[in-house]
Amino acid sequence: MTTLERAEAAERAMIEELDRHVMKSVIYTSGERDPRLPIPRPPGNGKYYMMGHDPRLPRMPDRPTLFDFFKLRFGPTQHVMQSARLAQKNGAGEKIVLACLLHDIAVAGFIRGDHGYWSAQLVEPYVDPEVAWAIRYHQALRFFPDESVGYKYPESYLKLFGPDYKPDPYIERDYRYARAHKWYMSSRLICVNDLYSFDPNVQVRLEEFTDIVGRNFKQPEEGLGFDASPSAHMWRTIMWPTKYL
Ligand SMILES: [Fe+2]
Ligand SMILES: [Fe+2]
């Protein structure tokens, strides 16, 4: 068996132990498998399908907060916390610090491709419009230098995407739009603080940002996911990623 086959077998065994069937959403496997093919059905052994909490994950509180998602559903978040701390050290206002703290949460917990747009959409109902705007456009601005603030094209992108990589036309279009916008610098500041926030030796604690989040993130009383905001369902999907319907 190859490593991948072994991992898949282990996963199947784990899923078989659950008392409910787990079906992955098409997007979780698209590419690894042809999304047009029918999804293989688990054996009809009388089990029901997963319709809520997945027991392989830590349980979320009934009224989850932003920090609960950071602690119980997101992957490593040192990068966003480092960039928020750096922004603070550089004298940025609370809105920018919050934007830095949230700018990559889609990568940490939801969907990686177009992460700036996803991150912005997740938080839009709960933050100042400028914060969501800045997060959305860091996606495009990240690819374009601005020497006036000392922002160069990231070295890491040369390594990650190769020297010939050219951003897609929609990224270039959004860059041009953002460049001429009154909030341009807010988004650019995310990029500036982003660039230097990958230090494996710096450990930041989420609690450093309790007050800033408390003042600038409108935590819904019902819990994130259970309010009726336009992105509540996205938070529920992060909480219950294997829900059948
Ligand atoms: Fe990013
Ligand atoms: Fe980042």
Side-chain angles (χ1 to χ4, degrees), residues 10-42:
E11 198 193 340
R12 263 199 309 280
M14 199 168 175
I15 285 174
E16 273 158 28
E17 268 179 34
L18 297 176
D19 57 2
R20 292 195 176 237
H21 290 306
V22 169
M23 298 279 282
K24 282 188 189 162
S25 292
V26 170
I27 200 163
Y28 299 165
T29 56
S30 194
E32 275 159 32
R33 57 186 299 284
D34 184 337
R36 297 167 302 176
L37 297 173
I39 294 173
R41 292 259 151 199

Side-chain angles (χ1 to χ4, degrees), residues 79-80 83 100 103-104 107 115 138 142 157 190 193-195 197-198:
H79 162 64
V80 286
S83 78
C100 289
H103 77 280
D104 284 339
V107 174
H115 74 286
H138 99 275
R142 208 65 172 83
Y157 284 10
I190 296 181
N193 291 294
D194 209 353
L195 211 48
S197 300
F198 296 92

Side-chain angles (χ1 to χ4, degrees), residues 77-129:
T77 49
Q78 275 304 314
H79 162 64
V80 286
M81 293 193 287
Q82 280 182 22
S83 78
R85 182 195 268 178
L86 196 59
Q88 214 165 17
K89 242 175 69 186
N90 292 336
E94 294 200 346
K95 279 199 269 187
I96 301 298
V97 176
L98 182 71
C100 289
L101 183 67
L102 301 175
H103 77 280
D104 284 339
I105 57 169
V107 174
F110 192 51
I111 294 172
R112 178 175 267 286
D114 275 323
H115 74 286
Y117 302 93
W118 287 118
S119 301
Q121 202 177 346
L122 276 162
V123 301
E124 206 147 33
Y126 315 107
V127 297
D128 186 280

Side-chain angles (χ1 to χ4, degrees), residues 98-100 102-106 112-125 127-143 170-171 173-175 177-179 181 183-184 186-188 190-191 194 230-231 234:
L98 182 71
C100 289
L102 301 175
H103 77 280
D104 284 339
I105 57 169
R112 178 175 267 286
D114 275 323
H115 74 286
Y117 302 93
W118 287 118
S119 301
Q121 202 177 346
L122 276 162
V123 301
E124 206 147 33
V127 297
D128 186 280
E130 187 177 347
V131 172
W133 193 95
I135 294 173
R136 176 167 288 116
Y137 289 100
H138 99 275
Q139 168 89 45
L141 295 187
R142 208 65 172 83
F143 292 97
Y170 76 90
I171 290 287
R173 177 201 64 204
D174 286 2
Y175 161 67
Y177 164 75
R179 188 78 187 80
H181 196 280
W183 288 336
Y184 165 70
S186 304
S187 193
R188 181 53 83 185
I190 296 181
C191 305
D194 209 353
S231 68
M234 294 161 69

